[in-house]
Each structure stands twice: as C-alpha cells, then as structure tokens.
Amino acid sequence: MPEKIIIQRAEFENTLRRMAYELVEKCGGLENVVLVGVHRGGVWLAYRIATIIQAERGHELPRGELDINLYRDDLSRIGYHPEIRRTEVPVPIDNAFVVLVDDVIYTGRTARAALDALMDLGRPQKVLLCVMVDRGGRELPIQPDIYGVKVPVDSTGLIEVRFREIHGEDAVVVRPRS
Amino acid sequence: MSFPERGLIGIRALRREDIELILRTARSMKDISKRDVKKVPALRGKTVANLFFEPSTRTRTSFELAAKRLSADVVNFSPSGSSMAKGELMLDTVKNILAMNVDALVIRAKPEGACEFISQHVDVPVINAGDGMHEHPTQALLDALTMEEQFGTLDGLKVLIVGDILHSRVARSNIYLLKNFDIEIRVCGPPTLIPRGIESMGVKVFYHLQEALEGVNVIMMLRIQMERMQGGHFPSIHEYSKFWGLTAEILDRHAPPDAVVMHPGPLNRGVEITPDVADGARSVILYQVENGVAVRMAVLYLVVGGGR
C-alpha cells in the first residue's frame, strides 16, 4: 500500500474551518473556553484552530499543552522511555470549558490518559474532545465531540496529519506502518 | 553498564545525549511539583528501596519525594536499628530487600564503588546516591539543571569549584558532567586538597580565590568536612576560611555581577561561605534543592519506568 492522501491544502483548511465553527457552537461561545493540545500533533492542531477563531472572531483563545506519557497505561510494558515534554496550561482550568485537541483518535487510550492528566490540573466544568482524524479501532468507550474526517484504517496502517508550519504542507495521509 | 537499563552509577559513563535527555525530562518534571496535585501515575505499582548505609537526610528525602510524586512506593532502610548493626554484609542486606520484590535500589554507601559492585550482583537497576569519594551523579545533574536555568545554556560557561576537590564526589561528578559541554572548568583550593594531575582532565587550577573568580559565571562552594583537619590538609578552619571562604566583599570585588553562587549543602556558615552570601541575591542554593527533586524524578522515570 503506497502513501495515500486523504485531504490536503484547501480541503484541509476548510475542514479546520468547519471544526472551528463547530467548536464555537458546541461551547456556546468563546467565554471561558480553553484549548488544550496533546503533544505533539494536538498542539499544532490547537494552534491552527485558535488562529482561525482569532481571524474570524477577533478572540484569542488561551492554549495549553499536555504530555500524556506519565499517564499511559502501558508504561511498564513498552520497551522504551517516551520522552516527557512540557505540560503547561496558561490559565486555571477550574470551571473552564476545556477543549481537548489531538490530531488522531484510535484506541482512545491517549484520550483516557489526557483526561486523567487534565483532572490532576483542576476540575473543568466541561470537557470536549476534538480531533482531526477518527481512524476507528476504539478499545475504550471514548468518542470525539468534534472531528475533521473519518478514515477507517486497520492496525497495519498509519495516519499522519501534516501541518504546513512543521512539515511544509497541510495534509492527512495514510501509509503502511513501516 | 549502560544508562538507563542498569541504573545510574556515575556521570562518567554517560554520554552528552544521556545528560541532555535527563535534563529535558527534569524540566518537565519540575512543573509537577508546583501543582496542587503533586503526583503522576507513571511508576504506579513500582517499589523503590532507599538504602542509605551512610547517614543523609536531604538526599534521602529528595529521592523519597521524587519517587512518591511518580506514585512509586518507597521503603527506607538505614543501618541504625537494623541488622547491619549486627554485622550483616551489605550485599546480604541488599539481597534481603530484593527478595521482597523491589524494582529499583537507591544506594548511598561509604566504600567507593559500592554501587557498581552491588549492581553487578543484582538484576534491578541501581541509582548511586553518593559512594564515598567517588561519585554523586544526581547532585551533578541538579547542579547542571540549575546552571542551565540561570544562563539558558551550558555551553560557553565558566564554572569554578572551590574547596576540597580531592575528597569531593560532588566535584568529581560535576567535572565529569561539565566536560561533556563547552565549559571552562576551574578548581580552587589549598594545594593539599587539589588532586595531582587534575589538569589532565582539562581543568584549570587556581590557588588564589580572587584570581579564580575573574570572569566566572558559576561559583560552586564545596562543604569543608571538619574531619579533614585531622588529616593535616590545612592548618585551621580559620585559615581555610580566610583564604578560600567566600565573603560578600570578595564576591562583589572579584566576580562578575551576574555570577551565581551554588553549594551542595549542608552549609558550614562562616567557614566556606558567609551567611550574607549564602542568603544573598546571587545564591541559587535553594533552587538547587528544588531541582534535586525534579532531576531525581527524571532519573527514576528513565530508569524504573519503561519495560525491560
């Protein structure tokens, strides 16, 4: 299976735009809303969504970042040590409307870990899950509230979400796991 | 003996990328200690044994807090009130603790090489918390983290270590660590307390504190151990502090204005450092203590976390 492009460029941007609108709608406005991106794809996605909202609504959403590795359920099984990046949320999340942002949802285990990490930082009033790609294959009862595209991919495939700021292009790509 | 699978016996065996990984991880760990909930589940279900065959309160407490903030269970063992007093061998003690299914050992012991020796006889990782005059790796790492925080980078710094270089595991580990970076390392102290041939390690030797202070970024004052006086290494405490003690006056006159003062503790106030310097604006001593917990969390995570 060669690399296959699911969406790119204008379609990618339009998808982000739709997600941003949906986010504003589901949060009932922008008051009290905090975007928290999961390292690393989620951090970039949160940045892009915040940029669109800033341009459209003139409102700068506070953005935080979350490293979930210390909350993984397989830490004692995997044979390596995932590097721990910063967890930093610039505003208190107590009673806030937190939108948890990640690039891809698969088993749901990352989202579970992210929820636990979030709860250790405070007690949000509500948490929404927003992802660019839902690739199916859930192992936990966790579903995204907002998603960009649904692309069923089995365990032999890999989804890559590329951002122009980092990878030089905007694209969602499926390729074989190497 | 490779890091991190077998633990952390000394800085000497580490490569620059190992050191950088530990420091990056420590920076992330630092935030955890500042939250309301100072705990993450990374080492849930793991047990860490602190075996301190030599007395220590601060290092032991620091390791204990680090392990607990990662959700590991901690057992503390120190010789007083144990069967060590009845003459049990160190290795027997270790094997007894291990028979209780412990996942890692943090060891402080008097004989140089004790941690290395023990690690060859057990199949869990060993972290050296100070072995005699040999190494104190987590101290050097917390010192490096503190320097990096103060100056943004380690490369390009000039670091001065003052005091009993000969007997100091802190100095030794620091020199091993700093040599991995583009750092000018200076040592200063009485000639009797500077190891012979230390220049071959790329270290500049000074005997006069005033000269040594010119142009430095970091001044690390070592603790003078009173028992060394009996060894005839220097005539009196008074004379030591007159020539090698750091006072506010000497600091202000000879060191650059942005130089910071470090000390591994515990302080001999008025001997190697005067109280106005220890508590002054340029002292980063308490940051060192704070960074100690973060560095030990990083090392425990890298050594104990992850499968094997």
Side-chain angles (χ1 to χ4, degrees):
Chain A
M1 182 173 70
E3 186 175 295
K4 187 179 156 206
I5 294 169
I6 306 296
I7 53 170
Q8 62 180 339
R9 294 192 282 267
E11 204 184 344
F12 187 97
E13 184 68 32
N14 288 338
T15 305
L16 287 179
R17 202 168 289 277
R18 181 179 52 68
M19 289 167 72
Y21 293 147
E22 214 175 315
L23 188 151
V24 176
E25 192 189 308
K26 290 210 160 134
C27 294
L30 296 166
E31 213 47 49
N32 215 13
V33 174
V34 185
L35 294 182
V36 177
V38 177
H39 275 293
R40 303 164 71 180
V43 174
W44 300 324
L45 181 58
Y47 167 77
R48 289 292 290 272
I49 290 176
T51 306
I52 290 171
I53 291 174
Q54 164 90 59
E56 300 273 321
R57 306 284 294 257
H59 182 100
E60 192 180 347
L61 285 179
R63 268 183 300 127
E65 44 197 71
L66 210 58
D67 183 289
I68 57 102
N69 281 310
L70 294 169
Y71 291 83
R72 291 172 70 122
D73 56 9
D74 57 354
L75 204 50
S76 60
R77 295 194 199 180
I78 52 177
Y80 64 101
H81 304 79
E83 188 170 334
I84 307 301
R85 290 164 206 283
R86 271 216 120 107
T87 289
E88 211 165 17
V89 183
V91 292
I93 61 164
D94 283 322
N95 298 317
F97 212 124
V98 174
V99 180
L100 202 55
V101 183
D102 202 356
D103 53 353
V104 180
I105 184 163
Y106 182 23
T107 59
R109 288 178 193 270
T110 300
R112 193 283 306 162
L115 283 170
D116 280 355
L118 206 57
M119 296 311 153
D120 278 356
L121 296 178
R123 187 178 186 280
Q125 190 199 332
K126 192 164 178 176
V127 182
L128 291 185
L129 180 60
C130 167
V131 300
M132 185 77 189
V133 183
D134 179 352
R135 63 172 284 182
R138 219 77 79 238
E139 292 170 1
L140 293 175
I142 292 175
Q143 309 304 335
D145 300 282
I146 301 162
Y147 66 88
V149 283
K150 258 196 175 135
V151 188
V153 179
D154 67 21
S155 60
T156 63
L158 203 69
I159 293 264
E160 244 182 58
V161 181
R162 298 181 187 153
F163 297 92
R164 60 172 182 246
E165 293 84 353
I166 311 296
H167 312 91
E169 61 168 343
D170 279 347
V172 173
V173 170
V174 184
R175 60 177 182 81
R177 202 176 278 274
S178 47
Chain B
M1 192 59 51
S2 63
F3 176 84
E5 291 76 17
R6 298 296 301 140
L8 177 61
I9 305 299
I11 297 288
R12 193 176 188 175
L14 297 187
R15 299 160 304 165
R16 178 172 170 142
E17 51 265 43
D18 298 324
I19 295 166
E20 286 174 332
L21 173 65
I22 297 171
L23 295 181
R24 279 200 303 278
T25 307
R27 280 198 294 276
S28 302
M29 294 295 183
K30 217 177 150 173
D31 300 333
I32 295 167
S33 297
K34 291 183 174 160
R35 295 183 200 152
D36 269 358
V37 179
K38 298 176 189 55
K39 211 178 190 53
V40 294
L43 299 187
R44 202 166 66 91
K46 303 281 188 184
T47 307
V48 176
N50 278 337
L51 307 185
F52 279 68
F53 296 105
E54 207 189 31
S56 154
T57 312
R58 290 137 25 96
T59 304
R60 206 208 65 215
T61 307
S62 183
F63 266 111
E64 184 170 349
L65 272 179
K68 285 181 170 170
R69 287 187 181 161
L70 294 172
S71 300
D73 292 311
V74 182
V75 287
N76 284 306
F77 173 89
S78 48
S80 59
S82 80
S83 51
M84 283 298 284
K86 298 173 198 159
E88 190 179 52
L89 290 174
M90 199 181 277
L91 196 54
D92 283 334
T93 307
V94 168
K95 287 190 167 166
N96 272 276
I97 299 277
L98 283 179
M100 299 181 231
N101 296 309
V102 165
D103 298 289
L105 299 171
V106 176
I107 298 177
R108 167 167 291 186
K110 195 108 190 164
E112 290 78 22
C115 294
E116 171 98 63
F117 172 77
I118 290 169
S119 80
Q120 284 164 358
H121 289 85
V122 300
D123 55 6
V124 300
V126 172
I127 298 169
N128 184 355
D131 60 334
M133 304 188 297
H134 177 226
E135 279 226 45
H136 191 355
T138 54
Q139 177 71 42
L141 287 161
L142 74 89
D143 290 338
L145 181 63
T146 308
M147 292 179 212
E148 198 182 52
E149 271 179 5
Q150 292 295 318
F151 296 98
T153 170
L154 291 173
D155 287 312
L157 292 182
K158 290 189 171 77
V159 178
L160 168 66
I161 308 176
V162 183
D164 181 356
I165 312 295
L166 182 62
H167 301 99
S168 173
R169 58 189 173 212
V170 175
R172 205 170 310 270
S173 288
N174 260 289
I175 292 169
Y176 286 140
L177 188 150
L178 299 174
K179 267 165 51 83
N180 284 281
F181 297 83
D182 176 23
I183 289 178
E184 181 181 316
I185 310 170
R186 301 178 182 180
V187 297
C188 179
T192 48
L193 293 177
I194 305 280
R196 245 182 253 167
I198 193 171
E199 293 90 343
S200 65
M201 290 183 76
V203 173
K204 289 191 181 171
V205 178
F206 293 79
Y207 300 109
H208 299 285
L209 183 57
Q210 288 89 329
E211 273 172 41
L213 286 170
E214 297 295 336
V216 296
N217 303 104
V218 176
I219 306 153
M220 190 182 296
M221 304 305 295
L222 299 177
R223 171 185 167 77
I224 274 297
Q225 285 161 306
M226 300 302 180
E227 62 267 29
R228 300 292 173 217
M229 241 175 51
Q230 272 86 55
H233 294 285
F234 52 91
S236 73
I237 288 293
H238 179 73
E239 188 180 298
Y240 181 86
S241 57
K242 185 175 157 199
F243 289 106
W244 294 284
L246 189 63
T247 65
E249 195 202 335
I250 290 174
L251 183 64
D252 290 341
R253 190 178 301 169
H254 298 280
D258 68 338
V260 299
V261 178
M262 301 176 55
H263 192 297
L267 299 166
N268 286 315
R269 285 173 180 265
V271 180
E272 68 267 359
I273 190 166
T274 54
D276 51 356
V277 175
D279 307 325
R282 299 174 188 222
S283 163
V284 294
I285 295 171
L286 293 178
Y287 293 122
Q288 288 174 272
V289 177
E290 182 186 356
N291 286 339
V293 177
V295 153
R296 289 169 183 127
M297 286 172 79
V299 170
L300 283 167
Y301 164 72
L302 293 169
V303 167
V304 186
R308 49 197 74 255

